[in-house]
């Protein structure tokens, strides 16, 4: 049935594309008043109601209800189109209304089928409404149908097949139709013999289309086809018209540059990292992957979660191994928390169903044997799909990546010691002290509004006071960023001219200029704060638990005069343009949650810089190779920069 509906959809789309494929040629003749021709179409018949008494000799044990069928339609036609937009149409032809009812099961637990082969001679007069200065037209009118054939074929397992005729058929049906068509000229504009090809679609509702005088069987039909029409025209004089004056459209964009007050080389950061409550398993294996940190019993006795908070080695502001190292200790963190809180319990839900129970049991065995946790505190179960699956119904792209994300064990608990302080399904976050190199607020942000629509590409030349030129690009997006550390190099400070050159899609070249002053800052500045918000797959709405986190935890740490950089990211699954919009939406929603709380506390001098980087690999927090990396890339990162930097 799904394939049949797709066939209908494709047929209608093809008809509409054909309708819009041509523009009517400039008339050099009159338009015919009378048109004659033929048409051919497919009737897509939809059955509804009830049919059980097929004739006086056969009453089937189980009633049939819904059904579907595709049957041919063909007609001869005539059209009268006087001057103006109104006209009349007449089609007389063969009209197939047969189909197959949805199979049923008889009381004997036997499958039963019913095919009908009903057809009519139909007479369809219609009122025609043409759209001025267009080849589009609409039509509507009655349908008068005379029954020709009413055969049926009934089969039931363990019973002989029955091929007969339906009884109590109405000889005549009176109903209606409404439709739309498009005239595509096939003849030249100066030919007096006009030939038009006219794709059309019509809808004939069930009103008046009950084929029988008994029961409640009705038929609704969608007809899609094409008509070939012929008409006789007369020559008219055509006044010569001067060629149109073509005015070239000059591409233009708005170019702006956001410069950092200073260019810090590094910053101490206290990061609050959400802890994914998920362990991902490799395809074909039910053992915990080697990338997760698994301790011996002796090592576990000395493990404390606080060890992961110690300052890590210097890393870039983007992707970093330190967060993954914390996450890959997830089982040790759970064991340590359960050991410190003897009344806590957890549920391990494994998916897919075939391996999920085994995967969950492997995690349970590790926590019990390594951390000495009572096995009664850990429940395991299997699920067909995870609690929040990545693979969505109807999706057909990048299934390998999505299914890899759904081969996992989710850890849930009703114990507040294991959950986020603000509630929700994720584990309580971990605090990490780290040193950022080349932080995001040191970047020069280039905005070229309209570049994606008007440019093939654009690039910039950055020239310092001594005439040294640095080239960056080509770019295609409306916004790009360049590291201020890269621009200034070893210079303590300087003035820089930024010249943007865009190659427009109409062949022209657009140039814009701006200037910035950059000052290098070598001293490590006051510690900043970083918070991350993780989103479910393809979701832009922040869950309620993060609303409380932002208003109750993050907002109080933002001092008046601070700069708050909110940057959104996505994984690489999906279209790049869609991911860009998704990351923008995620970042903007997070800012909207913070602003009212800051205003209510009198902090009116907070500067927000909200950016969406989409799936941009130059700024994504993680790679996209592992499922957990893609999960952590579906994020909004909030950097709080102190005012006295």
């Amino acid at each position: 049935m799904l394939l049949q509906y797709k066939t209908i959809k494709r047929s209608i789309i093809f008809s509409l594309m054909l309708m819009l494929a041509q523009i009517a040629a400039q008339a050099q003749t009159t338009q015919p008043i009378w048109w004659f021709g033929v048409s051919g179409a497919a009737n897509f018949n939809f059955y509804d109601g009830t049919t059980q008494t097929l004739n006086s000799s056969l009453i089937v044990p189980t009633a049939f209800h819904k059904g579907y069928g595709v049957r041919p339609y063909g007609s001869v036609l005539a059209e009268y189109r006087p001057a103006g937009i109104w006209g009349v149409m007449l089609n007389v032809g063969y009209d197939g209304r047969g189909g197959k009812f949805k199979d049923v099961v008889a009381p004997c637990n036997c499958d039963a089928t019913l095919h009908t082969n009903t057809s009519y001679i139909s007479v369809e007069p219609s009122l025609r409404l043409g759209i001025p200065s267009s080849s589009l037209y609409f039509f509507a009118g009655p349908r008068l149908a005379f029954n020709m054939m009413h055969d049926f074929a009934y089969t039931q397992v363990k019973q002989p097949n029955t091929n007969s005729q339906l009884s109590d058929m109405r000889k005549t049906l009176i109903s209606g139709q409404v439709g739309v068509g498009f005239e595509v000229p096939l003849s030249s504009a100066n030919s007096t013999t006009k030939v038009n090809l006219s794709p059309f679609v019509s809808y004939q509702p069930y009103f008046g289309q009950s084929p029988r005088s008994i029961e409640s069987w009705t038929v609704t039909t969608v007809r899609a086809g094409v008509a070939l029409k012929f008409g006789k025209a007369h020559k008219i004089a055509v006044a010569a018209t001067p060629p149109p004056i073509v005015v070239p459209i000059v591409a233009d964009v708005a170019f702006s540059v956001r410069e950092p007050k200073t260019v810090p080389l590094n910053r101490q950061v206290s990061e609050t990292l959400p802890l994914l409550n998920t362990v991902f398993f490799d395809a074909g294996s039910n053992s915990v992957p080697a990338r997760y940190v698994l301790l011996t019993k002796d090592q576990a006795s000395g493990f404390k979660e606080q060890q992961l908070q110690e300052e890590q080695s210097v890393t870039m502001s983007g992707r970093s191994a330190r967060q993954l190292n914390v996450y890959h200790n997830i089982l040790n963190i759970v064991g340590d928390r359960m050991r410190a809180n003897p009344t806590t319990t957890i549920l391990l839900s494994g998916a897919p169903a075939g391996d999920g129970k085994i995967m969950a049991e492997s995690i349970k065995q590790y926590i019990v044997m390594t951390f000495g946790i009572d096995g009664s505190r850990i429940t395991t179960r299997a699920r067909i799909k995870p609690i929040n699956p990545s693979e969505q119904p109807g999706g057909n792209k990048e299934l390998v990546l999505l299914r890899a994300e759904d081969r996992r064990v989710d850890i849930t608990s009703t114990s507040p010691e294991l959950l986020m302080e603000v509630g929700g399904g994720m584990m309580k976050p971990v605090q990490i002290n780290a040193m950022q190199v080349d932080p995001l607020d040191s970047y020069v942000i280039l905005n070229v509004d309209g570049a994606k629509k008007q440019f093939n590409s654009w690039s910039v030349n950055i020239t310092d006071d001594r005439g040294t030129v640095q080239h960056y690009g080509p770019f295609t997006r409306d916004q790009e960023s360049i590291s201020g550390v890269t621009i200034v190099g070893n210079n303590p400070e300087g003035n820089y001219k930024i010249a943007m050159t865009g190659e427009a899609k109409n062949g022209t070249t657009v140039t814009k200029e701006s200037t910035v002053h950059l000052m290098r800052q070598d001293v490590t500045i006051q510690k900043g704060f970083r918070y991350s918000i993780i989103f479910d797959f393809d979701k832009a709405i922040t869950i309620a638990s993060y609303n409380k986190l932002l208003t109750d935890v993050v907002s109080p740490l933002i001092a008046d005069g601070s700069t708050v950089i909110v940057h959104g990211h996505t994984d690489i699954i999906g279209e790049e343009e869609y991911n860009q919009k998704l990351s923008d939406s995620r970042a903007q929603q997070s800012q909207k949650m913070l602003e009212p709380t800051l205003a209510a506390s009198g902090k009116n001098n907070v500067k927000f810089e909200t950016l969406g980087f989409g799936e941009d690999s130059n700024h994504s927090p993680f790679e996209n190779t592992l499922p957990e990396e893609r999960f952590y890339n579906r994020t909004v990162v909030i950097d709080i920069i102190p005012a006295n930097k």
Side-chain angles (χ1 to χ4, degrees), residues 566 586-596 608-610:
V566 184
R586 288 172 172 172
Q588 291 165 5
Q589 291 219 12
S590 300
Q591 176 182 340
K592 289 178 181 178
M593 287 186 177
L594 287 170
E595 287 176 327
F608 279 93
E609 295 181 3
T610 302

Side-chain angles (χ1 to χ4, degrees), residues 501-521:
T501 302
E503 178 189 335
K505 294 181 179 179
N506 62 6
T508 61
T509 299
V510 177
T511 58
K512 300 280 185 177
E513 290 187 357
S514 184
T515 58
V516 295
H517 179 80
L518 301 179
M519 180 183 301
R520 176 186 172 111
Q521 185 179 60

Side-chain angles (χ1 to χ4, degrees), residues 319-388:
R319 65 178 59 83
S320 170
R322 70 182 188 273
Q323 295 100 329
L324 277 185
N325 177 61
V326 173
Y327 162 71
H328 283 146
N329 274 275
I330 175 66
L331 298 182
N332 303 320
I333 295 173
V334 171
D336 183 42
R337 290 179 180 177
M338 294 187 72
R339 185 171 55 189
N341 301 278
T343 61
T344 58
T345 60
I346 62 174
L347 170 63
L348 303 176
S349 302
D355 297 332
K357 183 72 172 180
I358 302 175
M359 296 189 301
E361 285 291 336
S362 67
I363 292 178
K364 176 179 178 178
Q365 183 180 11
Y366 173 76
I367 296 175
V368 170
M369 299 300 296
T370 306
F371 286 87
I373 305 301
D374 188 341
S376 63
R377 296 169 59 191
I378 304 176
T379 303
T380 62
R381 71 178 181 187
R383 296 175 58 95
I384 297 175
K385 288 183 174 294
I387 297 173
N388 292 309

Side-chain angles (χ1 to χ4, degrees), residues 161-331:
N161 296 342
T162 302
N163 294 283
S164 185
Q165 293 186 329
L166 295 165
S167 65
D168 302 288
M169 291 292 293
R170 289 189 168 97
K171 299 297 183 182
T172 304
L173 296 178
I174 301 177
S175 58
Q177 67 167 343
V178 63
V180 60
F182 193 83
E183 301 287 354
V184 181
L186 300 182
S187 52
S188 64
N190 58 358
S191 174
T192 57
T193 300
K194 297 297 183 182
V195 182
N196 281 7
L197 189 68
S198 179
F200 66 92
V201 177
S202 66
Y203 173 68
Q204 301 177 7
Y206 67 90
F207 302 109
Q209 294 206 76
S210 297
R212 308 178 68 192
S213 59
I214 62 172
E215 301 181 322
S216 59
W217 173 25
T218 61
V219 182
T220 297
T221 298
V222 176
R223 179 182 296 160
V226 63
L228 187 62
K229 306 175 184 179
F230 302 85
K232 189 66 174 178
H234 301 283
K235 292 267 187 187
I236 59 174
V238 179
T241 56
I245 299 175
V246 179
V247 179
I249 299 175
V250 179
D252 194 17
V253 295
F255 178 58
S256 61
V257 180
R258 190 223 74 177
E259 63 181 277
K261 294 180 180 178
T262 58
V263 180
L265 301 185
N266 52 58
R267 173 179 295 110
Q268 294 177 351
V269 173
S270 175
E271 178 174 1
T272 300
L273 177 71
L275 194 60
L276 289 178
N277 60 326
T278 297
V279 178
F280 299 93
F281 282 72
D282 296 333
S285 173
N286 295 325
S287 301
V288 178
R291 63 183 180 271
Y292 290 90
V293 180
L294 300 180
L295 306 176
T296 65
K297 190 171 183 179
D298 290 339
Q299 291 172 331
S301 64
F303 175 83
K304 296 294 182 184
E305 178 183 334
Q306 289 74 15
Q307 297 169 359
L308 301 173
Q309 300 179 8
E310 297 175 359
E311 183 169 311
Q312 309 293 310
S313 58
V314 175
T315 59
M316 296 297 290
S317 61
R319 65 178 59 83
S320 170
R322 70 182 188 273
Q323 295 100 329
L324 277 185
N325 177 61
V326 173
Y327 162 71
H328 283 146
N329 274 275
I330 175 66
L331 298 182

